[in-house]
Amino acid sequence: MATTLQASLDRLRATRVWKSIFRRGPAVTNRSRSQAVFGNLFLHWLPVKVREKALTVRASYYLGSISFLLFIALTVTGILLMFYYHPAVPQAYRDMKDLRFVVSNGVFLRNVHRLAAHLMVLLVFWHMFHVFYRGGYKPPHEFNWVVGVILLLLTLFLSYTGYLLPWDQLAFWAITVGSNIISAMPFVGSKMRFILLGGNVVGENALLRFYVLHVVVLPLAAFFFIGVHFWRVQKDGGLTVRSKNDGKK
Amino acid sequence: MAPEEMGKVTYRMRLIFAASSLLFVAVLAVSPVKDLLREWKHYKRGYLQFARTRPDTKRLTADYRPDLDQIWIPEMNVVDRCASCHQGITQATLADGSVPQPYRAHPPIPHRVREWGCTPCHRGQGVATEVAEAHETTLAWEQPILPGRYVQGACGSCHHDARPELPKLNRGRQLLADHNCAGCHRLQDIERSVMQGPDLTSVGTKVSREWIYKWLKEPRTVVDDSGNVKVNGYETQESPRMPQFRLSEQELHDLSAYLSAQRSHPVAPYKFSGAVVAKWGKRPDVTDQGELRFRQMFCSTCHSLAVTRAGETKLIGGEIGPELTKVGSKVNPDWLAAWLLNPQGYLAHSKMPRYEWSEEDLFTVTRYIETKLTDSDLLSNVPQLGAATKEEIAHGKKTFSEKGCASCHAVGSSGTQKDFGPDLSALGSKNVSQLEFGKSTIPRNLSSYIQAKITDPSSVNSAARMPQYNFNAADLEAITTALLSMTGPPATSALQKLTIPRGNPQFQPAGEFARIYERYQCADCHKFNGYGGDLAPDLSYEGSRAQRQWIISFLKNPQTLRPTLTFRMPQFNMSEREAAVLADYLSMVMQSPDVRQEAVNAKELTPAQAALGKQLYEVKYQCQSCHTIGSGGGYVGPNLNNAGNWLKPEWIAAWLSNPQALVPGTIEPHRTMTDGEIKALTAYLMTLRQSGGKAAQKQVAAHGAKAGGNGVAGQ
């Protein structure tokens, strides 16, 4: 059976459609393999060659990758949730009720989105600590460290803006408290708060602003910086792997 | 790992991969499975099974769809999915009590379920599709379903007017108004009346300190848990006006001292002329004469007296004014005569009419009250209080304001204070989390809270200032219903459009009529254009009904048209001129648009028609089963002996064609008569005239005396 499968795969690779998409033959040599990676949008920001050690669990605990997967999961569930959500008062809360009582698997959707968000915040922090204690901020990784910090902040902002959207008491007061903390900033505090809320109270304008930030601005920024982050991992020479000489003079 | 082993996957890894994949799929399957087992789907299937057991299965399942059922009314912001489980809600054949819930039909109401939804009346969470979430208070929903016995409260949140279909709600609102709840609380639809409790500016001139002490201690005594009210030891239906405050002995001393010192605007004691005192002062029958006049003037229409009959003592008389059995031991004699002459001189908002007293009557009636309506034991339990000290008065003043007395009672020119208690105008929409239950163990819901607060305010808040009220279970339920109806302004303007405002009847006459109307307090008992009391006939259309001359003679000497009634119009001793002014105003102004003067021409009514009318009266329509003419007939309707002098022919005609159009709710049957028959009956009734003059009046006066005697016999 294996041979028939192989044969049919070979036949497929010989077709014009396949060739038009992948543009090259089977990756059998190192050169053709690296060409295959370079020539693919989704693979080209990964290194062509990886040190074996970098793939072990202990090297990274896959914290960055899992964070990215969570981000993907959040994007997918978030888009599905957007089909059921109106950023308006009081419809927003009614939509929560509908998700719970009427939408098929609505509770599941919400829970996945929420739990994934919590988990992502946790893992991104863990990722940062891990990189820090491994010395991953050291040259040549300084720039990527800074990008990582930006991504951490974006994650936190995403989490914060998403918190208001259910428009329940918890959301309302959390954002009230949060925005009051912003206004404690010297000189610009109250202006910042006004800009964030689109007014002086947590109301319909605030809900709309938080919604736009949560579903458009911040995810796009996060996508951009994730791309840069991954790209730089490759350009900076892969993961920081502890060598046997670490900790020794 | 050696380079040649790279890319090789071990058996163990495959196993782990396979197991975790299976686990992942299983976890993912949880949500769809839960979706399949939703509660409402269970009830949907149950309804199909249930419908199969009924004879009219086909009709019951005609509209059945396996999906969610919801009532969506965008303009009211209603999304009610209740019908997803309550499948039979509009099926008339499922109205029977034996039909199991949730499939039973809704009892018939004026609103169609499909047009109004469920939660606008029943509350609860309409969007929910789970039993607990829809009906109860849960983590994310605080307005549970309104228990069935309070559902009229839901009607009241839109229907601010009084509707006959809502007796419990109306009763509750009435109780709230009667007990002056608006004195301390802001309430929806119930405004503060001008006078809550009596003005106490000069109460020291009216009653003694001992009596004040006694009253403060036991304003009304409640005998049992069912809340039967006793006044001075006599059971009564009257609602107690002054509630029971929890006052300490010291507070009783201080308050009685403070109040007995209030004498800032005393009424001048009335001095009887020497002639009257000389004539009546020594006569032994002075109190008998006073009692006779007391009865003839029909004081009992408003005031009750304790009467012992066959070993049973009960209060007999009206409830507009206070019960008077022991009033002689209460009030100061000097004050009494001045009060009877001009009640409004002492209490500006008093409901008591200003009678036209002859001095002799005033003397004898005052004497009767002072000597016969007394109880030597009234103040026997009161300790010796002595004269009020300055310190007591100062403390009493403080207590007076701390206890909120000033909410109902004005002292001096400052008037009463507002908003002593919390605003309750949106109590009905309060969430459970907003209520203070203290250490009480009552169920955590709004209706239990309201009931606990009313029966024993300190049970939910030990520092409560609210006095204690004792209502029987039915009244408590009525009050709770009325309070639950106060949900504040509607949430949306669409709902605002649905509310039916409370009618605010006003009757503000002017001129000479207004002066006499105010003097005799006509609106205590009669209604004028929807405003006033309901003890006596509505006079809004009196001008269309009665002839001017008859009104004058009636006012001067009220004779009863309905001998079976207990309460009679008092004899005010009105002057000819006053009676004429009232009659003129009533004839000119209080007209019904439905009674047209040109409809019947009295001059065209022939004796032949009258004869036919007599026959119709006696044979075809059997009017004598309710009405009296001469000496025969029933007592349900008014006596028609003098109909020709009393009624206007056009009124009779309009009345006979449709009585309920003129007086909604009247028990006069609505018969279908031809125009000819109406004319004939009108002609007949117009021939019924009693000879006027003194004979008739004498008879009436004697009758009145007899009836009055019945009312307060045994005194």
Side-chain angles (χ1 to χ4, degrees), chain A residues 52 90 93-94 97-108, chain B residues 1 28 31-32 35 38 77 79 81 125 127-130 133 140:
Chain A
E52 190 196 330
Y93 185 66
R94 293 206 143 216
K97 293 284 182 192
D98 276 2
L99 278 168
R100 158 133 199 218
F101 293 120
V102 187
V103 177
S104 296
N105 302 301
V107 179
F108 179 70
Chain B
M1 206 187 282
L28 281 185
S31 179
D35 232 43
R38 285 191 184 226
N77 212 9
V79 180
R81 301 182 174 131
Q125 190 174 186
V127 294
T129 53
E130 293 159 26
E133 286 285 338

Side-chain angles (χ1 to χ4, degrees), chain B residues 204-224:
Chain B
T205 64
K206 176 183 174 185
V207 292
S208 66
R209 184 180 175 190
E210 282 70 22
W211 188 88
I212 296 175
Y213 175 96
K214 162 103 177 156
W215 173 257
L216 288 172
K217 198 169 181 182
E218 308 167 343
R220 289 289 189 269
T221 316
V222 172
V223 273
D224 52 29

Side-chain angles (χ1 to χ4, degrees), chain B residues 123 146 150-158 169 481-482 484-487:
Chain B
R123 304 188 189 169
L146 203 60
Y150 305 122
V151 82
Q152 290 185 9
C155 310
S157 45
C158 292
L169 177 68
T481 304
L484 286 170
S485 80
M486 298 178 188
T487 49

Side-chain angles (χ1 to χ4, degrees), chain A residues 182-242:
Chain A
I182 294 172
S183 70
M185 253 194 293
F187 309 115
V188 293
S190 59
K191 277 271 173 280
M192 291 280 286
R193 180 172 183 270
F194 188 90
I195 290 168
L196 185 68
L197 296 184
N200 287 315
V201 290
V202 181
E204 196 143 42
N205 286 347
L207 182 62
L208 189 60
R209 279 186 188 205
F210 275 56
Y211 176 72
V212 172
L213 286 174
H214 187 76
V215 304
V216 181
V217 180
L218 295 174
L220 282 181
F223 255 117
F224 175 75
F225 282 104
I226 287 171
V228 173
H229 199 60
F230 278 31
W231 172 262
R232 278 304 288 246
V233 170
Q234 187 222 120
K235 293 292 158 194
D236 292 344
L239 297 186
T240 321
V241 180
R242 197 161 29 176

Side-chain angles (χ1 to χ4, degrees), chain B residues 556-574:
Chain B
K556 283 169 65 188
N557 194 354
Q559 64 195 65
T560 185
L561 293 165
R562 297 166 194 269
T564 50
L565 293 186
T566 320
F567 299 130
R568 304 282 163 74
M569 172 118 160
Q571 197 169 5
F572 295 111
N573 303 327
M574 218 177 263

Side-chain angles (χ1 to χ4, degrees), chain B residues 37-148:
Chain B
L37 300 177
R38 285 191 184 226
E39 274 177 353
W40 64 269
K41 293 186 179 169
H42 165 74
Y43 288 113
K44 277 250 155 178
R45 289 190 291 268
Y47 178 73
L48 273 189
Q49 284 171 12
F50 170 72
R52 267 183 223 122
T53 66
R54 308 287 295 189
D56 51 348
T57 309
K58 210 165 185 183
R59 217 176 43 72
L60 290 180
T61 53
D63 293 335
Y64 180 88
R65 288 173 310 118
D67 323 325
L68 208 68
D69 283 321
Q70 73 176 17
I71 300 170
W72 181 41
I73 309 164
E75 61 270 27
M76 280 166 69
N77 212 9
V78 163
V79 180
D80 280 350
R81 301 182 174 131
C82 314
S84 302
C85 300
H86 293 278
Q87 285 276 298
I89 198 122
T90 53
Q91 301 287 3
T93 52
L94 300 183
D96 189 50
S98 65
V99 174
Q101 285 290 28
Y103 305 131
R104 203 177 302 157
H106 197 282
I109 48 161
H111 296 308
R112 289 184 46 170
V113 175
R114 294 274 160 203
E115 285 164 15
W116 290 88
C118 310
T119 52
C121 296
H122 292 279
R123 304 188 189 169
Q125 190 174 186
V127 294
T129 53
E130 293 159 26
V131 175
E133 286 285 338
H135 300 89
E136 293 162 22
T137 296
T138 61
L139 204 59
W141 194 262
E142 292 216 87
Q143 292 280 326
I145 209 156
L146 203 60

